[in-house]
Amino acid sequence: IQKSRHPVAEWVALHAQPEDLVTVRVGGNFTYSSPSRSSSNLDNVNVMEQSQMKKKNLLFIAGGVGINPLFSMIRQWHEDFSNGKIARDSKAVLLYSGRSTKELLFLQELEQMAGLTPMNFRIMTSVTRQKPSTFKEMRNNSETIPGMKHISIREGRISSTMISYARKWIHQTKSCENVHANDSFTALSEESDDEVHFFDLAFVCGPPGMPEDMLNILLPTSEESELSFVKSENDVYFEKWW
């Protein structure tokens, strides 16, 4: 457990002792509904979950330790894709922010998944307290994390620009299987596309304030509706642990 000011994480990190008893409550709808469920079990799947199973283009946004539930979802999505249980043109993008690369979790596992399905899964990371210039191969304020071909890195918080790049990659038609993650995203900034595209679903998990900030970017006010990344608020799922 990472040391944190959040009450639950702080208690576990600083005060919990061996053999302490805790009560766990299960609830909410922050889930990835896997089509791996057999058809015989569909009677037990609610309407929302059945609808979610049909979605093809997914956006995952993680801040700090908020990657934990999203990593489980991504791993299940990747398994479903690899086993042919979802459409072959399905795509997913992970936008993942932390204070430094040392705080970014599961990078090796994510790199491996992206390497196995480079045309269907991409990862963009950003750091808020570490200059990208500390790495080599600096290009256009973006680069790949050393030793990783499929994980790009940028300075700053997750922004509408990053989400725009992710959307363009999701809906591009040209192949980018053999290019660096950095190249595949930054090259898209020069492309023009008059057609409006949306993510089918977005899953957001991060520290206080981040989910609300991301919703404001994904679904702006009605006056800026042409800038929306999703069709409705019902297409954005949050996990909040505070």
Side-chain angles (χ1 to χ4, degrees), residues 19-64:
E19 299 185 5
D20 279 349
L21 297 179
V22 297
T23 300
V24 178
R25 183 178 63 185
V26 179
N29 61 0
F30 191 72
T31 58
Y32 163 73
S33 297
S34 170
S36 295
R37 299 189 187 191
S38 66
S39 57
S40 61
N41 291 330
L42 285 180
D43 291 340
N44 298 322
V45 179
N46 62 38
V47 174
M48 182 189 72
E49 289 177 310
Q50 291 187 44
S51 175
Q52 192 184 113
M53 290 179 186
K54 300 177 183 178
K55 306 298 185 180
K56 294 195 302 182
N57 298 318
L58 308 184
L59 174 66
F60 298 93
I61 301 178

Side-chain angles (χ1 to χ4, degrees), residues 70-170:
L70 296 184
F71 177 70
S72 297
M73 294 180 185
I74 291 169
R75 187 164 52 184
Q76 183 63 59
W77 175 89
H78 191 269
E79 180 180 323
D80 290 338
F81 180 84
S82 300
N83 292 334
K85 295 181 178 178
I86 54 178
R88 302 309 296 172
D89 59 345
S90 297
K91 290 186 176 183
V93 174
L94 168 64
L95 306 182
Y96 181 15
S97 180
R99 287 179 290 189
S100 68
T101 53
K102 292 182 179 179
E103 294 192 3
L104 299 179
L105 308 176
F106 308 119
L107 291 184
Q108 292 295 338
E109 296 92 334
L110 291 167
E111 167 75 8
Q112 183 178 21
M113 284 189 282
L116 291 172
T117 52
M119 296 180 65
N120 300 86
F121 179 47
R122 278 291 198 231
I123 306 128
M124 294 179 69
T125 65
S126 64
V127 290
T128 59
R129 300 185 186 179
Q130 181 179 0
K131 295 290 184 181
S133 57
T134 59
F135 303 115
K136 297 179 180 179
E137 301 180 6
M138 180 72 174
R139 288 176 296 205
N140 298 323
N141 196 34
S142 176
E143 58 195 300
T144 53
I145 292 179
M148 300 195 176
K149 179 180 178 181
H150 303 283
I151 302 180
S152 67
I153 185 168
R154 293 171 177 269
E155 181 183 7
R157 301 180 184 278
I158 295 173
S159 64
S160 59
T161 300
M162 287 180 66
I163 298 175
S164 180
Y165 286 173
R167 176 169 63 181
K168 288 180 180 179
W169 179 80
I170 283 269

